[in-house]
Amino acid sequence: MPMNAEAEMPCQQPVNAEAVLLSPPYSVLTYKLIPGFSRAFWQPGLRLAVPLGRGLRSAVLLALSDSGPANPANPGYTLKEIAWPLENSPLLGSDYLDLARQFALRQALPLGRVLSGMLPAGLRDKDLRLRFCQPELADFELRQMPALDRARREALAALWESGQGRVIKNSDKSEQELYSLTVAPPWPVRPSAVRQIGLLDFMYACGSTQLSRRHILKELGQDFLPALKQLLSKGLLKVRVDFRPDWPLNSPAEGQSGSRHASILAAPPPFSLNADQQLALDDLCAALNESNPRTRLLYGVTGSGKTAVYLEFAAKTLLAGKSVLLLAPEVALALKLKHDVAERFPGLPTYLFHGYQPQAAREACFNELARKSAPGLTTPAQPVLVVGTRSALFLQLPKLGAVILDEEHDSSFKQDERMVYQAKDLAWYRAGQDKAVLVLGSATPDLKTFYAAEQGSIRLHRLSGRVGGGSLPQITLAPMSGLAGGAGGILTEESTQALLECLNRQEQALILLNRRGYAPTMFCLSCGTTARCPRCEISLTYHKKREKLICHYCGYAEPFPTPCQVCKSTHFLPLGEGTEKLEERLQSLLPTGTRVLRLDRDSAGKPGGLEEILRSFGRGEADVLVGTQMLSKGHHFPRVTLAIVADGDLGLSLPDYNAAERTFQMLLQAAGRSGRASSGRVIIQTRNPDHYCWDYVAASDYEGFYRQELLRRQRRQYPPFVRLALVRMSFPLGWAEGQALVAELGRIMKAGGEAAKVAVLGPAPAPYQMRDRRLRFQCLLKGGSWQDIRAVYAKASAAINARSRQEGFSLSLDLDPVSMM
């Protein structure tokens, strides 16, 4: 039948829709189609509102069928109709649905759960109304639609299918009222203003995200509305009523702008690539024409010019009519990459996408790119350049040509909570889907990535020296044994002296301490106990400026001073040192007038705070920058000649097979911030100078460390020599049957493992056994294939009954875990 004939023919015969829910239980359910729409209107990928129970749910159409599901228990059942489509044409393409299905299979998750995690939250909203392009028609609430008579629904269906209707959010106004903090703690608020303090704490805990009024009141309750208004009047909060996206939306001159963009991209760079860079670029450009290009690894020391190769390759890809995804592990690095793009290609439209943007901005970006990627466009869409973090992999792009992951080794490319996934795996699949080139770049590649390159699965390019002829910094170890904690606190005499000499030369210094807060432990002088989180049994960290004790695992907080939980005394001694205490100590240790900045989650909490700190230090407005691992990655500060790692042992002794690898990577990355424009020095303080990794750190010898670590992993059978997965189990504290169920699931997995030749270790308590009043256990699975491991996990998952799930028992699978904690 011709397509136009089918499109004009309304649904006369019974036709049903298979739709997947985007909220629990994430089921695939069958519904009747709404009369009045043609069958051709109902395409896979169309978002729907469907009835379930007494309410409506958001769903995605998967397929049509001419028969309903078999139900022997109730042969006379009646299918419900779809409430209404949420768009005039499918938002999600067939490739996108295929990506979601593969993702669900790999992670052993329901398809609805995966799609829910891939889409921006606003696209799952069901608090909607419908507006039609007829002046005489008032808006319809979405929940009204099922109750309308058949004739009215058919008339509205005809309007909707012809594009004369659209969805309006009931929350549109409040969604655009975006609130953010204006000042860091301590706040000038009376202790009795409990709601104001609670709201400020909530905003601070959410970091630099701007929050809508609707979200704030949904999380805290309507009782907090007066507090919101009071804090706004005091100037402690600010509101932005409108948002301006970081990209051009719905540009009518898109086709006409192509030649201007081409001239921007074709402009020669203000620098010349060296031989190694040019060789890598030539190979990447040749890969654009390969039918099934191999993944490329760009391995180069810090400062070797990897970013320059990324940008030149991105330009060649865009000129070839293909889109580019340029990804960084963290928002700060994504912002730096966007700045690099703007400097190299001034005037080139660039999309920015990351998790700290306002919800409305992320939704608008997703919709705009989906529009550009829709099949059947009369004018082919211009290729786009997207800079972002791992969530940008869930965007739909027109004709993807390249996916570039900078700092590919970074653990932030793995999402460990909610929907667990590894961005590198997702990038590999997306590149394969579109026959695009996947480029991984790092000065300290993931050991598994470098092993794959040595085995020939990935093509390797080396950038062996720093651009401009600079040399790597000199790295020395400073033993911390006998450190008395005097005026220098955690800094040794050698580090203190080097810091003073650096400042006397009017140069800048970085100090890395990967522990935020003022003191990690508060010791009661009366009874000898430490302040602990009642939900996790983990030491509470003292945050002096916030005047609080905070659990860094579940977020529990209590004011300080506070009585001891055991003896009710208020005499505490802060033990240990975090970035906040180090910053305070430096103010008294260093010469008067020395300017010190701090970069961690606390100092960068307000919107724009992170960029403000980095820009200020880059402009030379501070002499010393203290921070956590946030400052060890990717930043370029030409005046920095000294980097001090205040406690190099942090993380080295964790019960994790890749603890040494992560420590080595972080320290070598931190060392790379020093001496970018002149000779540099790095001092790493350690209590364990005999550890095998220090020799390789001191020599900046990645490949030496790689070979040593590879031997250790081969001997103990860890990746890359086996497939590794972690099965996590948890249940509420106090549920009597929880431990028995954990033991039973362990027996089931071991029996399944014997048949599938998968080694099952455990179950055992997690290193942090209690978190947020839940007891946590885990099993480690080692096998020859992911399929075998998933089969073992599936047996355990099938053994959990509905009652156990209702009691709050949780079971999840983490393939290739980054953290074993």
Side-chain angles (χ1 to χ4, degrees), residues 355-406:
Y356 285 113
Q357 290 172 305
Q359 177 180 307
R362 293 197 301 275
E363 184 181 340
C365 181
F366 189 98
N367 287 333
E368 171 71 4
L369 291 173
R371 180 188 67 82
K372 290 175 178 287
S373 309
L377 292 176
T378 54
T379 303
Q382 292 291 323
V384 297
L385 172 60
V386 177
V387 178
T389 52
R390 63 184 181 231
S391 58
L393 283 162
F394 297 133
L395 296 170
Q396 298 176 90
L397 305 180
K399 201 174 181 181
L400 183 62
V403 184
I404 303 169
L405 272 68
D406 189 25

Side-chain angles (χ1 to χ4, degrees), residues 543-615:
H543 288 249
K544 187 175 182 180
K545 286 191 175 181
R546 294 183 64 183
E547 298 177 332
K548 286 187 180 295
L549 300 177
I550 299 175
C551 175
H552 286 179
Y553 293 88
C554 74
Y556 170 84
E558 59 184 49
F560 186 84
T562 190
C564 172
Q565 298 165 350
V566 177
C567 69
K568 308 306 178 185
S569 167
T570 56
H571 299 293
F572 284 92
L573 175 67
L575 297 179
E577 193 158 329
T579 49
E580 190 180 357
K581 187 174 183 179
L582 179 56
E583 177 194 26
E584 179 183 278
R585 196 185 292 275
L586 288 173
Q587 299 285 6
S588 58
L589 174 69
L590 300 178
T592 304
T594 302
R595 299 157 298 178
V596 180
L597 284 175
R598 175 165 54 91
L599 180 64
D600 55 25
R601 272 187 58 191
D602 299 322
S603 63
K606 66 178 183 178
L610 187 147
E611 305 97 286
E612 181 183 325
I613 293 168
L614 292 173
R615 280 198 299 266

Side-chain angles (χ1 to χ4, degrees), residues 187-213:
W187 297 295
V189 177
R190 300 188 317 275
S192 58
V194 177
R195 285 200 176 96
Q196 291 184 36
I197 294 172
L199 199 155
L200 289 168
D201 283 338
F202 173 74
M203 297 287 292
Y204 195 80
C206 290
S208 59
T209 306
Q210 299 180 60
L211 301 177
S212 69
R213 185 179 68 185

Side-chain angles (χ1 to χ4, degrees), residues 87 261 313 325 409 524 601 624 646 686 720 796 808:
E87 52 215 10
H261 296 167
F313 177 52
L325 265 175
H409 67 277
C524 178
R601 272 187 58 191
V624 180
T686 175

Side-chain angles (χ1 to χ4, degrees), residues 133-153:
C133 300
Q134 300 287 334
E136 67 276 10
L137 290 178
D139 290 354
F140 290 85
E141 291 292 333
L142 184 61
R143 61 180 178 271
Q144 290 179 268
M145 301 308 289
L148 296 179
D149 63 69
R150 183 185 179 97
R152 190 69 178 276
R153 278 162 64 84

